[in-house]
Amino acid sequence: MKEYPAVNSDVASPTPRIAVILPCYNEAGAIVRTVEDFRRALPAADIYVFDNNSSDGSRELAASAGAIVRRVSQQGKGHVVRRMFADVDADIYIMADGDATYEAAAAPRMVAAMLEDNLDMVVGARRDEVEAAYRRGHRFGNWALTSLLKQLFGRSFTDILSGYRVFSRRFVKSFPVLSAGFEIETEMSVHALELAMPVAEVMTAYGARPEGSVSKLSTYRDGWRILRTIITLYRIERPVLFFGVIAAFLAAAGLGLAAPLILTYMETGLVPRFPTAILVTGLMILATLSVMCGLILDTVVRGRREVRRLAYLAFRAPSDYALRD
């Protein structure tokens, strides 16, 4: 995996406006350390903490550490990301979690990667320092989603569920956030792959949470979300395949029920089981309708992709940060 040099802080003006955006929910044990780590890594960056109804004083601690604190009342990481992308104005956005598990020192390298190759998203691929940092259930979900996206788009990331990412302005301002929860990382990856954006990964360290910080993830609940996301991706991104499988199942069931009727008709010239014949007719009609739905939705998907691409092209490239929109 390609490594990039850190950003040279001595470069003459103009310099890109960098915003560090941190979603936060009950992270009193880690939010101060997270803000301080990013302040050391990127002294000139604006650091925002978007608090999502914390009840442990996280908001006050973040403000005391020097962060710009905003409050989001709608619960869920997707709602927080929607507000962050809408409210913050910058040239480069660095998103991480407020639990101090991501390597803040890697942020300059990730920014350098974006500017050097004019990328729209750089993903911090996690290299866990301890086994407890990255649970097996989430490893499996990550592998399943990564394999799916590679099948759908011909390419993917090695760590699709990473919450540590650097975005260009044109990514942020063209991204219609639709998810409400932790599946937002998958939606971001799909947006980049769907529009064939230039992206890259930078290997970063991933550590365990500090003492007093508790994970909000649930292996089984989030596993169900991952499964639901996989099914939804097939339905939205590959409607011909999704509805084609349904049509094939219905058609197979109809043909299986019709075979005895056809044999009886060929022998006697009669159709003795009218209810079965009516059921077969209904199944074949549903199979045909399913195929037509897939074809129609495939056209809709293509049109939606074209609209997203045009919205994306309305903003400048990352290296043109001196040209303000």
Side-chain angles (χ1 to χ4, degrees), residues 8-28:
N8 184 358
S9 58
D10 297 328
V11 175
S13 296
T15 57
R17 298 172 300 168
I18 300 176
V20 178
I21 47 179
L22 305 170
C24 175
Y25 173 59
N26 286 342
E27 295 291 359

Side-chain angles (χ1 to χ4, degrees), residues 57-289:
S58 296
R59 186 163 56 253
E60 292 76 13
L61 289 170
S64 67
I68 303 169
V69 181
R70 304 281 174 83
R71 182 175 180 178
V72 181
S73 58
Q74 289 180 287
Q75 197 67 38
K77 187 174 182 179
H79 294 301
V80 176
V81 172
R82 185 181 298 113
R83 280 287 304 277
M84 291 193 302
F85 283 7
D87 294 355
V88 178
D89 188 61
D91 299 310
I92 296 175
Y93 299 76
I94 302 172
M95 187 181 78
D97 293 336
D99 55 10
T101 56
Y102 291 109
E103 183 188 7
R109 286 190 290 121
M110 297 169 72
V111 172
M114 173 165 288
L115 294 177
E116 179 181 335
D117 292 339
N118 224 20
L119 306 174
D120 286 303
M121 182 170 68
V122 179
V123 178
R126 292 171 286 185
R127 180 182 65 247
D128 49 307
E129 302 299 306
V130 292
E131 182 68 21
Y134 199 11
R135 287 177 282 179
R136 291 182 180 179
H138 295 106
R139 291 176 191 268
F140 174 77
N142 202 346
W143 171 83
L145 275 176
T146 299
S147 301
L148 170 65
L149 261 67
K150 188 173 183 179
Q151 179 183 355
L152 289 178
F153 298 102
R155 61 185 183 131
S156 185
F157 304 92
T158 59
D159 189 2
I160 196 172
L161 296 181
S162 173
Y164 193 14
R165 300 173 185 238
V166 177
F167 304 102
S168 67
R169 178 178 175 82
R170 64 182 178 184
F171 181 102
V172 168
K173 298 306 180 182
S174 69
F175 177 46
V177 183
L178 302 177
S179 299
F182 282 100
E183 58 271 27
I184 183 66
E185 282 87 4
T186 305
E187 187 182 352
M188 292 173 179
S189 301
V190 169
H191 179 64
L193 295 173
E194 186 180 42
L195 298 186
M197 293 181 182
V199 297
E201 287 185 307
V202 171
M203 188 63 68
T204 62
Y206 185 70
R209 285 171 169 266
E211 186 176 352
S213 177
V214 180
S215 174
K216 316 304 183 300
L217 300 177
S218 169
T219 299
Y220 297 104
R221 181 190 63 204
D222 294 326
W224 164 246
R225 284 182 173 180
I226 289 171
L227 178 60
R228 186 176 61 188
T229 300
I230 290 174
I231 296 173
T232 302
L233 281 176
Y234 264 112
R235 179 177 58 83
I236 294 176
E237 302 300 334
R238 293 293 184 270
V240 172
L241 177 61
F242 181 83
F243 288 99
V245 170
I246 296 175
F249 175 79
L250 293 171
L255 291 174
L257 291 172
L261 299 181
I262 294 172
L263 292 175
T264 302
Y265 179 78
M266 293 176 64
E267 293 174 357
T268 65
L270 300 174
V271 182
R273 290 179 289 178
F274 279 104
T276 303
I278 294 172
L279 176 61
V280 168
T281 303
L283 289 173
M284 298 307 293
I285 291 174
L286 290 176
T288 303
L289 290 175

